[in-house]
Amino acid sequence: MSAFELKGRLETVDAIRGFAVCGILIMNIVSMGEPGYAYIDPSYYGGATGGNLAAWALAYVFADGKMRMLFTMLFGASLAITTDRAEHPARVHYSRMVWLLAFGMIHGWLFWYGDILVEYACIGAILFVARKWPVSALIYAGLLLIVVGAGMELANGAAAEKLREAASMPGASAAARQAWTEMLVQLAPPKSVIAFELEHYRGGFWSAFEARKPMITMFQTLFLPVNLPGGVGIAALGLAAYRSGFLGGAWRRRRYVWVASAGAVALLAYVPIVRWLIASHFDPVLMTLTNNLSLLLRLFVAFGYAAALILLVQSGAMRWLVTRLAAAGRMAFSNYLGTTLITTTLFYGYGFGLFGTLERAQLYWIVLGVWTLILLWSKPWLARFHYGPLEWLWRSLARGERQPFLRRAGQLGPREQFPGA
């Protein structure tokens, strides 16, 4: 494959990644700006009526789980892009994963507990062994791991429902009621936690750390092992999508139309789920079960988004948007961590102290502002520099030497000379 052909394929991958890094903020903004469980249950905090309920429903249908899945798929694709032309693939890749783990630990412990970089470092360490597998094997393994991951979470949900039934029976024992109470605290933290989070996140840096510490501990000790099989599976499907030519735009247009249409149908299937959750008053057990039962729908939606974006790139329409999304995607690492720095400065007490002061719907004005910044700064930055600032730092650390940074007039960067470098 020529460098020109690979560069063309990378534009679609970068545009999809840019879309995903913007879209993931739709969900992350809630746990950045409000008490954590509001991410799951809008009635917990931030408002669950009128415009706030509509904001939750739209985010749940169009973004919840889908953007993270799309971002993870692109991480799987980036593994191939990075290693295919590396002289020493294993050394380069695992050096990158070690430093990604370090960045993730700093990000999660010192800034925001919802970090995904630690999970991605673990995913990358595992998936590397499958980077040369046939597409069919990647698809089979990916789907199998997704089913295993969903099965683990469904088993937890089913166990919680059994505890609730046992505690609700006439004459239930004190032990059964205590077991359900303890489980309920894990599923849905009591309202008393709200006051704790408001106080600490509105305080100084170390006050916020005290609120973050139990959350990041739970994410990295309880959630990570459960999420890892599914995460590896999704990344494997992304790797397969790249190897098959899907992400590079190599399929026939009609096939992309079919995939995009399937994604649209999957979105419509979320309507009864939303109505079910609202009717249940956001029952915590039901929220857990529907989150995993809708996994297949999320997969269709994520691929549907990718197909729609590929069709947009191929059409030549809205080039102003496509080129800016592609630039945002090339700087996804800087934009992802930069988003955290912006939002935590706005919300936490060592910045502007807005934590918990905005209703759910109001948070999306901040999302629009951050999107505008991402789309405005990424393209002009890359016109002057070879990499985003954190991409450059990551690459320099992983390769053990300072990488070229400032772009001289007429000079091609590594991505133009050797796409995927």
Side-chain angles (χ1 to χ4, degrees):
M1 183 185 299
S2 70
F4 177 78
E5 291 173 319
L6 206 82
K7 183 182 176 183
R9 290 193 174 199
L10 283 173
E11 183 181 37
T12 61
V13 174
D14 287 337
I16 297 168
R17 187 185 291 110
F19 174 80
V21 79
C22 288
I24 204 169
L25 183 59
I26 295 173
M27 297 307 301
N28 288 351
I29 194 70
V30 178
S31 55
M32 289 171 165
E34 295 182 347
Y37 191 64
Y39 182 100
I40 306 293
D41 179 359
S43 66
Y44 186 75
Y45 197 90
T49 59
N52 292 317
L53 182 61
W56 168 81
L58 290 171
Y60 183 83
V61 171
F62 289 99
D64 187 22
K66 295 87 173 172
M67 297 300 175
R68 184 184 177 100
M69 182 173 282
L70 192 58
F71 207 34
T72 306
M73 286 165 50
L74 269 295
F75 179 76
S78 69
L79 187 152
I81 295 170
T82 302
T83 60
D84 279 356
R85 288 177 173 258
E87 186 176 353
H88 303 287
R91 186 173 69 189
V92 169
H93 175 73
Y94 281 104
S95 179
R96 284 170 57 85
M97 292 305 101
V98 167
W99 283 108
L100 186 64
L101 178 66
F103 279 116
M105 295 298 284
I106 294 169
H107 180 226
W109 283 91
L110 297 184
F111 294 99
W112 181 55
Y113 61 82
D115 168 76
I116 59 173
L117 302 180
V118 169
E119 181 178 336
Y120 280 6
C122 297
I123 290 171
I126 296 169
L127 188 60
F128 179 81
V129 300
R131 69 187 185 92
K132 293 293 187 181
W133 285 9
V135 170
S136 58
L138 287 168
I139 293 173
Y140 177 80
L143 291 174
L144 180 62
L145 286 169
I146 291 171
V147 170
V148 169
M152 292 169 64
E153 294 199 42
L154 283 172
N156 291 337
E161 181 60 31
K162 285 185 177 181
L163 285 176
R164 176 161 64 181
E165 290 176 358
S168 302
M169 291 179 62
S173 67
R177 290 194 297 270
Q178 178 64 25
W180 167 242
T181 299
E182 293 174 358
M183 175 62 72
L184 188 59
V185 169
Q186 295 181 31
L187 293 173
K191 293 281 187 176
S192 60
V193 175
I194 293 176
F196 173 82
E197 292 193 43
L198 291 176
E199 177 187 355
H200 282 74
Y201 283 124
R202 290 174 181 173
F205 185 88
W206 292 112
S207 176
F209 176 79
E210 288 300 317
R212 187 184 309 112
K213 183 167 62 174
M215 295 296 289
I216 188 64
T217 300
M218 182 170 61
F219 269 60
Q220 293 184 354
T221 59
L222 296 179
F223 294 167
L224 179 58
V226 175
N227 292 339
L228 195 56
V232 174
I234 294 165
L237 292 183
L239 179 56
Y242 179 76
R243 294 291 191 207
S244 72
F246 172 82
L247 290 176
W251 288 15
R252 293 182 179 179
R253 184 179 185 278
R254 183 171 60 180
R255 296 179 70 184
Y256 286 114
V257 171
W258 276 108
V259 175
S261 300
V265 172
L267 284 173
L268 291 175
Y270 271 91
V271 174
I273 297 176
V274 166
R275 297 180 64 180
W276 190 17
L277 291 173
I278 294 173
S280 75
H281 303 289
F282 304 102
D283 175 74
V285 176
L286 182 61
M287 295 287 284
T288 300
L289 292 172
T290 54
N291 180 59
N292 291 284
L293 290 173
S294 65
L295 183 61
L296 184 61
L297 293 178
R298 292 203 298 272
L299 201 57
F300 277 104
V301 173
F303 273 99
Y305 283 154
L309 284 162
I310 291 167
L311 289 171
L312 176 62
V313 172
Q314 292 178 338
S315 73
M318 301 179 72
R319 287 297 299 170
W320 63 272
L321 178 60
V322 169
T323 56
R324 289 190 177 275
L325 281 175
R330 285 183 60 187
M331 293 176 54
F333 190 45
S334 293
N335 284 323
Y336 172 69
L337 294 180
T339 295
T340 295
L341 294 178
I342 292 170
T343 53
T344 54
T345 300
L346 287 173
F347 290 125
Y348 293 172
Y350 53 80
F352 291 88
L354 295 179
F355 187 84
T357 64
L358 301 180
E359 295 184 356
R360 180 176 295 266
Q362 294 172 326
L363 292 173
Y364 291 102
W365 291 110
I366 294 177
V367 170
L368 289 175
V370 174
W371 285 355
T372 301
L373 288 174
I374 288 174
L375 294 177
L376 285 178
W377 91 294
S378 299
K379 186 177 179 182
W381 178 278
L382 289 174
R384 294 166 175 81
F385 302 96
H386 291 307
Y387 311 101
L390 290 178
E391 282 79 4
W392 173 82
L393 177 60
W394 184 20
R395 184 183 179 92
S396 296
L397 290 170
R399 301 204 173 213
E401 59 182 358
R402 180 186 176 90
Q403 298 295 297
F405 191 39
L406 183 65
R407 189 189 293 271
R408 296 182 176 87
Q411 181 186 20
L412 295 178
R415 285 289 289 273
E416 289 81 14
Q417 297 177 47
F418 304 104

